[in-house]
């Protein structure tokens, strides 16, 4: 093949990747505003329905400063809620009751300037008591793209719909259907990060027969996504 030809091919690939990343970095702020606008619209609908939600985006006063350099995100979060569970502690001044709090699930649309990728994470709700013990639930990488043009209003709406199903399944306070539970289990199976190492142990969650049946049903009714 020849060394010059090999390097020429490598050089073209590097230049293509560089241009894609530069375009992603340049366009991300525009698409982040679109994502935030759709999140705001949905949060307003939820508030009218009696459900508290918060939207965070880069530049907002409430946006967390504890983030990695070169990374930003637009986040839709459920508010925290008391679970009704807790414990009573006997003290010198009498019984003291503590009620556990569930911190709401989050939908995170994350952008990395290093490689220009947009990733969508579903962060499960977490109990305050679990946080105090240092326990953390595993987030789900539900989608990703290297093209910011994919971030249309319809794309964002699809992520919100997934988020609501995920929250119903993971929350202590809601009652998901069997189909919703199966859908989230399948999402975890199909997650990109699960394709190495994790699949070997997945029989602890689903038997091969269950997986075949669920995958077939999902494909027929078109609800994998």
């Amino acid at each position: 093949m020849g060394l010059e030809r090999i390097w020429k091919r490598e050089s073209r690939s590097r230049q293509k990747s560089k241009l894609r990343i530069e375009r992603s970095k340049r366009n991300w702020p525009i698409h982040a505003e679109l994502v935030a606008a759709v999140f705001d619209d949905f949060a307003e609908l939820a508030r009218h329905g009696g459900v508290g939600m918060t939207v965070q985006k880069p530049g907002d006063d409430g946006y967390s400063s504890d983030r990695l350099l070169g990374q930003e995100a637009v986040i839709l979060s459920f508010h925290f809620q008391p679970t009704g569970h807790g414990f009573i502690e006997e003290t010198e001044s009498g019984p003291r009751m503590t009620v556990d709090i569930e911190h709401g699930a989050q939908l995170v649309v994350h952008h990395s300037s290093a490689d220009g990728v947009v990733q969508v994470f579903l962060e499960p709700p977490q109990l305050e008591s679990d946080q105090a013990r240092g326990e953390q639930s595993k987030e789900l990488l539900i989608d990703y793209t290297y093209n910011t043009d994919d971030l249309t209003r319809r794309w964002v709406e699809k992520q919100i719909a997934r988020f609501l199903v995920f929250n119903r399944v993971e929350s202590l306070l809601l009652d998901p259907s069997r189909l919703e539970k199966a859908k989230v289990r399948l999402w975890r199976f199909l997650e990109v990060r699960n394709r190495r190492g994790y699949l070997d142990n997945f029989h602890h969650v689903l038997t091969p027969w269950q997986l075949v049946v669920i995958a077939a049903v999902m494909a027929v009714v078109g609800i994998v996504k």
Side-chain angles (χ1 to χ4, degrees):
M1 180 179 289
L3 295 179
E4 290 185 1
R5 187 175 178 182
I6 293 173
W7 174 248
K8 188 175 181 179
R9 180 181 297 177
E10 172 69 12
S11 181
R12 284 199 302 266
S13 178
R14 285 172 175 263
Q15 181 63 17
K16 182 179 179 181
S17 178
K18 179 182 177 181
L19 292 175
R20 178 190 60 75
I21 293 172
E22 289 177 350
R23 184 176 186 272
S24 176
K25 290 167 62 176
R26 186 169 59 249
N27 290 345
W28 162 249
I30 300 172
H31 293 285
E33 287 291 336
L34 183 148
V35 173
V38 181
F39 281 3
D40 281 332
D41 289 346
F42 184 77
E44 185 64 24
L45 288 173
R47 280 191 285 270
H48 284 301
V51 177
M53 304 194 80
T54 300
V55 179
Q56 292 178 282
K57 61 181 179 179
D60 286 352
D61 292 338
Y63 189 74
S64 173
S65 59
D66 298 329
R67 59 189 188 279
L68 298 176
L69 185 65
Q71 302 183 49
E72 290 185 339
V74 184
I75 304 170
L76 177 65
S77 308
F78 282 100
H79 290 175
F80 65 83
Q81 298 183 75
T83 64
H85 294 180
F87 62 92
I88 298 176
E89 180 184 5
E90 294 293 339
T91 67
E92 294 182 356
S93 57
R96 184 177 65 182
M97 183 176 66
T98 302
V99 177
D100 209 353
I101 301 295
E102 181 181 271
H103 293 264
Q106 295 187 332
L107 170 57
V108 181
V109 179
H110 176 274
H111 179 262
S112 170
S113 61
D115 52 6
V117 65
V118 175
Q119 296 173 297
V120 182
F121 294 96
L122 303 180
E123 300 273 359
Q126 191 165 15
L127 296 178
E128 200 166 85
S129 58
D130 291 340
Q131 290 180 332
R133 291 192 296 268
E135 298 179 10
Q136 291 187 343
S137 301
K138 186 177 183 296
E139 79 281 357
L140 173 64
L141 174 60
I142 193 67
D143 206 348
Y144 71 96
T145 179
Y146 287 96
N147 184 1
T148 51
D149 291 343
D150 291 337
L151 276 64
T152 63
R153 185 177 184 90
R154 184 174 181 179
W155 182 88
V156 180
E157 290 171 351
K158 181 175 72 171
Q159 310 307 331
I160 292 175
R162 290 167 162 176
F163 175 53
L164 297 178
V165 171
F166 180 79
N167 181 65
R168 267 196 300 278
V169 171
E170 297 291 336
S171 175
L172 183 68
L173 305 173
L174 299 174
D175 184 23
S177 68
R178 290 183 178 180
L179 189 59
E180 288 172 333
K181 291 179 181 178
K183 179 183 284 193
V184 172
R185 292 166 80 185
L186 186 62
W187 285 347
R188 289 201 180 277
F189 178 82
L190 295 176
E191 184 186 16
V192 175
R193 295 176 299 182
N194 287 340
R195 292 178 185 170
R196 291 181 179 174
Y198 185 59
L199 295 185
D200 294 336
N201 298 320
F202 204 78
H203 63 273
H204 294 301
V205 182
L206 290 177
T207 66
W209 174 244
Q210 286 177 315
L211 185 60
V212 169
V213 172
I214 291 173
V217 172
M218 296 289 189
V220 170
V221 300
I223 60 173
V224 172
K225 294 184 179 181

